[in-house]
């Protein structure tokens, strides 16, 4: 059965995304998530792995960082491969993970100099990326142990993940209560629903940091993957990868993915933005903007295997990172070394450094409000 015949059904319950045109062969009931011990932290805290399977997709999730440790999907011949980079032990996640598969917060992406002003008060958050703060600081949500609650609901299976970030953690104001739900649908789609509340005004930007290689982790470069992003503009950066504030057109630049093209097609051009990022590490301004329900935003395909990832989101931005800082020092789950360009990230988000850019969509969350965001990953072959 060709799983590419997916449709978006407007207003379909809370999900917003369905796959009504897929045959029943791929609409299988998932198994109850299975819990097992993955390892222990230095202080003795146990880290658990949860195995889920539904609709032809199989994944393992860790209580440490909400990490997607593996995600397996079939190719056009029905052969499975793990398409997400990761490690086979907790020690490597703690010591050297570049956010493999992790939940990111409080603030996904960068904040210039780790500084911002909110309601007239200046804040200094943890700096861990040169002069800037990246992905919530040196001990962001990716390095916290989450409470995990498995569930089955109708034909769906999944996990609720909970974490409370106390007032002042990594310098951020307010006690932030976070709930993230991972759902595997009967069609094999992976849906992420984020929610958070606070008791003080704060800034929030949550995302997922899966490193994708649709040919299989450890299989080599992703330069032959084909990518399409529904965005006519992007946010150029300075030498520290902080947005300048400009919303620049992608037309005539290596950042034009409005038509599907090979990732490697323009990757080695002598463009100043590519030099700053040692490749692509930029935010795309999605044409749809913020949406109440997930809308299609990007399609990634590996022609060799036929595996295709289609993404939908409520978010206004998408960070495309081409794996520029993988340096051959990390050994992944399959025993292969990860080198530059061996994977890519597609992080749905509000824009980097938004707390310092009033013209960007706001990331401020106040008491009485609930932060909500949804991203759907739809797999086909």
């Amino acid at each position: 059965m060709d799983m590419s015949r997916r449709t978006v059904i407007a207003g379909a319950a809370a999900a917003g995304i369905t796959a009504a045109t897929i045959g029943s062969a791929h609409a299988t009931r998932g198994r109850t998530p299975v819990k097992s011990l993955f390892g222990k932290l230095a202080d003795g805290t146990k880290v658990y792995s949860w195995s889920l399977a539904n609709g032809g997709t199989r994944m393992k999730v860790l209580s440490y960082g909400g990490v997607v440790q593996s995600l397996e999907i079939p190719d056009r011949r029905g052969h499975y491969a793990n398409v997400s980079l990761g490690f086979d032990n907790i020690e490597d996640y703690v010591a050297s993970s570049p956010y493999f598969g992790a939940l990111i917060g409080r603030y996904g992406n960068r904040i210039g100099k780790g500084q911002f002003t909110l309601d007239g008060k200046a804040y200094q958050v943890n700096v861990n990326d040169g002069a800037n703060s990246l992905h919530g600081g040196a001990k962001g949500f990716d390095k916290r142990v989450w409470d995990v609650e498995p569930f089955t609901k109708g034909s769906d299976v999944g996990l609720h993940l909970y974490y409370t970030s106390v007032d002042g953690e990594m310098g951020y104001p307010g006690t932030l209560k976070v709930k993230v739900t991972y759902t595997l649908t009967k069609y094999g789609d992976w849906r992420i629903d984020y929610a958070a509340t606070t008791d003080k005004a704060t800034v929030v930007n949550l995302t997922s940091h899966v490193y994708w290689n649709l040919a299989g982790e450890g299989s080599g470069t992703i330069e032959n993957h084909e990518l399409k992003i529904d965005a006519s503009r992007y946010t150029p950066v300075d030498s520290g990868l902080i947005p300048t504030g400009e919303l620049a057109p992608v037309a005539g630049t290596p950042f034009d993915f409005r038509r599907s093209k090979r990732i490697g097609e323009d990757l080695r051009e002598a463009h100043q933005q590519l030099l700053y990022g040692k490749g692509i590490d930029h935010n795309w301004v999605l044409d749809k903007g913020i949406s109440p329900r997930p809308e299609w935003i990007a399609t990634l395909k590996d022609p060799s295997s036929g595996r295709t990832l289609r993404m939908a989101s409520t978010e206004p931005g998408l960070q495309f990172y081409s794996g520029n800082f993988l340096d051959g020092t990390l050994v992944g789950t399959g025993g292969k070394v990860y080198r530059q360009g061996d994977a890519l990230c597609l992080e749905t988000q509000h824009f980097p450094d938004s707390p310092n850019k009033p013209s960007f969509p706001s990331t401020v969350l106040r008491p009485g409000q609930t932060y909500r965001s949804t991203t759907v990953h739809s797999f086909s072959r």
Side-chain angles (χ1 to χ4, degrees):
M1 178 69 67
D2 180 1
M3 293 181 68
S4 66
R5 295 180 295 130
R6 296 182 179 269
T7 58
V8 179
I9 308 299
I17 300 294
T18 69
T21 59
I22 299 178
S24 60
H26 294 287
T28 57
R29 182 174 294 276
R31 301 193 306 264
T32 300
V34 177
K35 178 182 180 182
S36 61
L37 182 65
F38 186 73
K40 294 182 180 180
L41 302 182
D43 64 1
T45 301
K46 293 180 179 179
V47 173
Y48 291 98
S49 171
W50 294 87
S51 298
L52 301 85
N54 208 5
T57 299
R58 307 188 296 225
M59 65 190 301
K60 292 184 179 180
V61 177
L62 305 182
S63 56
Y64 180 82
V67 164
V68 175
Q69 193 249 346
S70 67
L71 194 150
E72 298 180 346
I73 55 175
D75 65 9
R76 63 168 62 93
R77 297 177 179 85
H79 298 148
Y80 274 83
N82 173 20
V83 297
S84 171
L85 271 58
F87 299 117
D88 62 4
N89 64 87
I90 189 59
E91 291 78 14
D92 282 345
Y93 279 107
V94 173
S96 55
S97 178
Y99 309 99
F100 283 155
L103 286 174
I104 302 298
R106 288 192 189 192
Y107 198 95
N109 220 306
R110 294 173 173 85
I111 295 179
K113 300 181 180 178
Q115 299 174 350
F116 61 90
T117 299
L118 179 58
D119 295 338
K121 183 175 180 179
Y123 292 94
Q124 175 68 62
V125 298
N126 182 258
V127 170
N128 63 325
D129 182 54
N132 305 313
S133 181
L134 175 65
H135 294 330
K139 195 173 181 182
F141 290 0
D142 59 295
K143 296 178 179 65
R144 308 289 178 170
V145 176
W146 293 63
D147 293 324
V148 181
E149 176 185 291
F151 70 88
T152 58
K153 183 178 181 181
S155 298
D156 296 341
V157 299
L159 303 171
H160 298 304
L161 299 100
Y162 302 91
Y163 178 69
T164 297
S165 176
V166 299
D167 185 18
E169 186 175 277
M170 293 290 103
Y172 287 90
T175 294
L176 190 76
K177 295 183 177 181
V178 183
K179 176 184 178 181
V180 178
T181 300
Y182 289 169
T183 303
L184 276 186
T185 75
K186 64 180 180 179
Y187 300 110
D189 294 345
W190 172 38
R191 176 186 171 104
I192 311 175
D193 291 288
Y194 306 86
T197 59
T198 184
D199 61 359
K200 292 181 182 178
T202 191
V203 295
V204 185
N205 193 25
L206 306 181
T207 191
S208 170
H209 209 291
V210 172
Y211 283 69
W212 301 103
N213 186 322
L214 297 183
E217 67 84 29
S219 64
T221 182
I222 46 80
E223 288 194 17
N224 288 324
H225 280 40
E226 296 170 357
L227 178 63
K228 179 178 182 293
I229 303 175
D230 296 328
S232 303
R233 296 175 296 171
Y234 77 109
T235 52
V237 296
D238 62 19
S239 59
L241 302 182
I242 300 298
T244 62
E246 180 186 6
L247 305 182
V250 299
T253 78
F255 301 94
D256 191 351
F257 285 87
R258 291 174 296 174
R259 64 169 180 83
S260 183
K261 71 175 182 180
R262 285 183 58 253
I263 288 172
E265 183 173 321
D266 302 315
L267 192 59
R268 302 193 183 278
E269 284 194 11
H271 190 285
Q272 184 61 63
Q273 288 295 306
L274 295 178
L275 296 176
Y276 282 153
K278 294 182 171 60
I280 295 173
D281 193 3
H282 294 74
N283 171 68
W284 269 252
V285 180
L286 297 171
D287 289 340
K288 73 173 187 63
I290 300 172
S291 55
R293 288 187 293 270
E295 295 184 17
W296 298 120
I297 59 171
T299 302
L300 178 69
K301 181 176 182 178
D302 170 40
S304 65
S305 67
R307 295 187 185 97
T308 300
L309 163 62
R310 196 177 183 198
M311 295 180 66
S313 183
T314 58
E315 288 294 296
L318 180 70
Q319 185 83 9
F320 169 26
Y321 166 59
S322 57
N324 318 321
F325 298 103
L326 297 174
D327 60 3
T329 62
L330 304 178
V331 179
T333 49
K336 300 290 183 65
V337 169
Y338 295 151
R339 301 185 184 278
Q340 186 180 54
D342 279 356
L344 62 93
C345 300
L346 296 169
E347 306 154 59
T348 55
Q349 62 180 10
H350 273 51
F351 304 167
D353 204 36
S354 289
N356 296 309
K357 302 290 191 300
S359 62
F360 286 2
S362 175
T363 55
V364 175
L365 181 68
R366 299 186 180 278
Q369 299 176 336
T370 300
Y371 170 99
R372 296 191 189 279
S373 175
T374 297
T375 294
V376 178
H377 305 79
S378 181
F379 305 105
S380 62
R381 59 185 191 267

